[in-house]
Amino acid sequence: MPNTIITIARSYGSGGRKLGQSLAEKMGIEYYDRNLIYLASDKSGVDARFFSEHDESVKQTFLEKLGRIVPPESRRFTSHDNVFNFQQKMIRDLANKSDCVIIGRCASFALKDSGHKVVRVFVWAPHNDCIRTVMNKFSITEEEADKTIREINKHRSEYYKFYTGSDWDSAKNYDLVINTSEYTEESATELIKNFAAIYNK
């Protein structure tokens, strides 16, 4: 029986992570985000730092680009492509176990043709709203928040493009796009929950 998997891609500062946590809690299903790093580390035996350093990043060396897929026990395992491929396998394995919410990490790409009901959500907010959110969260200046947002979104965009060949922020890659500045967290959560309930019925 296919599971319902809700993947959430998010622009930095839009509240996508918090929304995903709220959604998983309300639906009573598993939630995966940075904990994927530790799950992958435990499964592979590779230090979690390597997964963290490669997380949603494509800073490859020339030698890594020439590398081949190798098993986790190999010392050459810790290249971008191998870490990405192992994490994608982890995502597929977790999706096979139960309904869940997965944040970022090209999860919708990993689950393409998986047979599960994959609801692809993109969460964003106007840049100025994201700046205010990041400023308040970290007590930093407007300039610092602006720089942080642009850099992180750039990494996420490059990562998605590199591995999927598609544009991270293009609506055509998602089933539902939410501007969180137009919703409360509760109403946005309810919107995704209701959409998932009727999706592919």
Side-chain angles (χ1 to χ4, degrees):
M1 180 177 177
N3 293 322
T4 296
I5 316 298
I6 301 171
T7 66
I8 299 180
R10 71 287 181 223
S11 62
Y12 191 69
S14 65
R17 173 175 285 115
K18 193 175 179 184
L19 184 56
Q21 290 173 324
S22 176
L23 177 65
E25 184 177 344
K26 181 166 283 193
M27 295 180 69
I29 62 178
E30 296 293 337
Y31 171 82
Y32 300 107
D33 185 7
R34 285 190 61 81
N35 53 342
L36 278 169
I37 292 171
Y38 304 104
L39 290 171
S41 174
D42 288 343
K43 182 92 172 177
S44 66
V46 174
D47 195 311
R49 287 175 299 174
F50 288 109
F51 285 96
S52 183
E53 287 168 3
H54 292 74
D55 194 36
E56 295 191 291
S57 171
V58 289
K59 294 179 181 177
Q60 287 192 313
T61 67
F62 177 70
L63 291 176
E64 285 177 343
K65 291 177 182 178
L66 295 178
R68 298 169 60 188
I69 296 175
V70 295
E73 59 269 19
S74 168
R75 291 182 179 179
R76 294 188 300 108
F77 173 76
T78 51
S79 72
H80 276 270
D81 281 352
N82 291 315
V83 169
F84 173 81
N85 289 329
F86 192 80
Q87 193 174 62
Q88 293 280 286
K89 182 182 181 302
M90 283 290 304
I91 288 170
R92 289 189 291 270
D93 289 346
L94 293 169
N96 288 335
K97 289 182 178 179
S98 66
D99 296 351
C100 59
V101 174
I102 304 177
I103 304 295
R105 295 159 187 88
C106 298
S108 60
F109 179 75
L111 299 174
K112 185 175 62 174
D113 302 322
S114 66
H116 296 300
K117 295 180 180 178
V118 181
V119 183
R120 304 167 302 167
V121 180
F122 187 79
V123 176
W124 74 286
H127 188 66
N128 287 338
D129 290 345
C130 292
I131 286 177
R132 284 193 291 273
T133 297
V134 173
M135 286 175 64
N136 292 334
K137 182 177 181 179
F138 298 105
S139 299
I140 58 178
T141 66
E142 181 176 345
E143 292 73 21
E144 290 171 328
D146 176 69
K147 181 181 179 182
T148 299
I149 291 167
R150 291 183 187 279
E151 286 181 350
I152 292 177
N153 283 343
K154 181 174 181 288
H155 288 315
R156 290 176 180 175
S157 179
E158 290 174 345
Y159 177 84
Y160 190 91
K161 183 75 170 181
F162 185 87
Y163 286 112
T164 72
S166 298
D167 293 327
W168 166 71
D169 57 356
S170 173
K172 70 181 181 181
N173 293 316
Y174 303 96
D175 306 301
L176 180 65
V177 177
I178 296 179
N179 175 359
T180 51
S181 68
E182 301 293 333
Y183 297 90
T184 63
E185 181 182 311
E186 183 177 355
S187 62
T189 301
E190 196 65 24
L191 174 61
I192 300 174
K193 180 184 175 184
N194 291 337
F195 183 84
I198 64 173
Y199 185 76
N200 275 348
K201 253 197 171 183

